[in-house]
Amino acid sequence: CRCPGWSFELEDMDFAKSFSVFNSVPSFAPKGKSSLGQSEQFKAFRSTFALRQLAVDLNDGEWRFYDGGPKNTPVLLCLPGACGTAESFYRTMLHLCPKGYRIVAAQHPAYYTINDFVLGMDAFLDALEAPDVHLLGAALGGLLAQQYAIARPKRVASMILCNSFYSNSSFEPAAGTMVTSMYQMTPYFVLKNMLLTSFNNDAAAISASPEVSEAVDFVVEQLNSLSQEHLASRLTLNCSPCQCIGLKMAQENITIMDALDRQARP
């Protein structure tokens, strides 16, 4: 998953590990308000860009998003990772919107299949009056961006994939769909611990870097705003069998950004 200046991977959980989370203790439990969340830069973002919510399909949930920049320019739509929110892209919007770019930082409602996401994305882009877009996807957001480009090649002009992956086979639980189908019924605190314990393996490295530690605190703070339904849908999409096959896009229209450390997925 992607946060400002840092990336990490979801733990590859099997059936037993999924239930061991009841007794696990994440190293990065919430510590109150994060320094980034209280920074002048983030406050400037919140005061400059209005949070919007839009229901666009039969799904009960709403798209949460920030829309900034000239409305007569192409859209760069930013999709966060499994732990991310629309706020994860606040620096992107603060830096690019004043330069004349239209940036939409969005988080989708709870979708449990790629097909549902594609249909919801169709309706969301229609509501934005965006016939085609440039996509920036982080981690899970990058996987969803690729899947949308495969399903709707004429609606995606280019992609930026940040610490993302084309196959989620590494995240599939050993027990298969029996585990992923249970996410919808799994208590909120268990799902949250599944994500928080992903940081445990690098607790020392994170603590050694103030910048990385601040970024992790910000992600944990944003994670608190996500409901059980949102966490369940993201884990389901992240861990259900999926490969990006059949992508028809020129290589010059795809930009790949990776943090070359042991936490980044190739």
Side-chain angles (χ1 to χ4, degrees), residues 102-259:
R102 184 182 179 188
I103 311 296
V104 176
Q107 65 186 70
H108 57 81
Y111 297 122
Y112 290 92
T113 68
I114 295 296
N115 185 63
D116 285 346
F117 170 80
V118 169
L119 296 177
M121 184 81 142
D122 283 341
F124 182 59
L125 294 184
D126 289 343
L128 292 178
E129 298 182 350
D132 59 354
V133 293
H134 303 272
L135 295 178
L136 189 164
L140 173 61
L143 179 73
L144 296 176
Q146 293 173 80
Q147 288 293 333
Y148 189 73
I150 291 171
R152 304 288 189 266
K154 294 183 179 180
R155 298 203 75 166
V156 182
S158 70
M159 289 190 299
I160 302 172
L161 306 175
C162 183
N163 286 344
S164 190
F165 40 91
Y166 75 94
S167 169
N168 58 5
S169 58
S170 297
F171 301 122
E172 293 177 32
T177 56
M178 182 171 66
V179 171
T180 55
S181 64
M182 293 179 63
Y183 289 150
Q184 296 185 52
M185 300 176 288
T186 303
Y188 170 78
F189 79 93
V190 177
L191 298 174
K192 184 176 177 181
N193 269 14
M194 288 182 182
L195 297 170
L196 290 178
T197 52
S198 302
F199 295 105
N200 285 357
N201 292 337
D202 280 291
I206 294 173
S207 300
S209 170
E211 183 179 9
V212 170
S213 182
E214 287 180 350
V216 171
D217 286 343
F218 179 78
V219 166
V220 172
E221 181 180 60
Q222 294 301 310
L223 183 63
N224 292 333
S225 69
L226 298 176
S227 67
Q228 186 277 344
E229 187 178 29
H230 280 100
L231 297 185
S233 71
R234 292 175 182 212
L235 282 167
T236 299
L237 290 172
N238 202 96
C239 300
S240 299
C242 177
Q243 290 188 336
C244 298
I245 299 175
L247 179 62
K248 298 178 180 179
M249 181 175 290
Q251 291 187 2
E252 59 265 26
N253 293 331
I254 303 175
T255 301
I256 297 176
M257 299 191 301
D258 278 328

Side-chain angles (χ1 to χ4, degrees), residues 47-117:
S47 64
T48 303
F49 304 102
L51 172 62
R52 301 176 61 186
Q53 300 185 66
L54 183 65
V56 296
D57 53 24
L58 295 179
N59 186 290
D60 291 335
E62 297 176 319
W63 286 75
R64 292 180 70 256
F65 66 101
Y66 297 89
D67 187 352
K71 297 297 186 288
N72 60 343
T73 58
V75 174
L76 173 63
L77 176 61
C78 304
L79 300 172
C83 290
T85 62
E87 288 79 4
S88 299
F89 299 99
Y90 75 91
R91 288 176 174 171
T92 303
M93 295 193 68
L94 282 175
H95 285 89
L96 294 183
C97 290
K99 296 181 180 180
Y101 296 95
R102 184 182 179 188
I103 311 296
V104 176
Q107 65 186 70
H108 57 81
Y111 297 122
Y112 290 92
T113 68
I114 295 296
N115 185 63
D116 285 346
F117 170 80

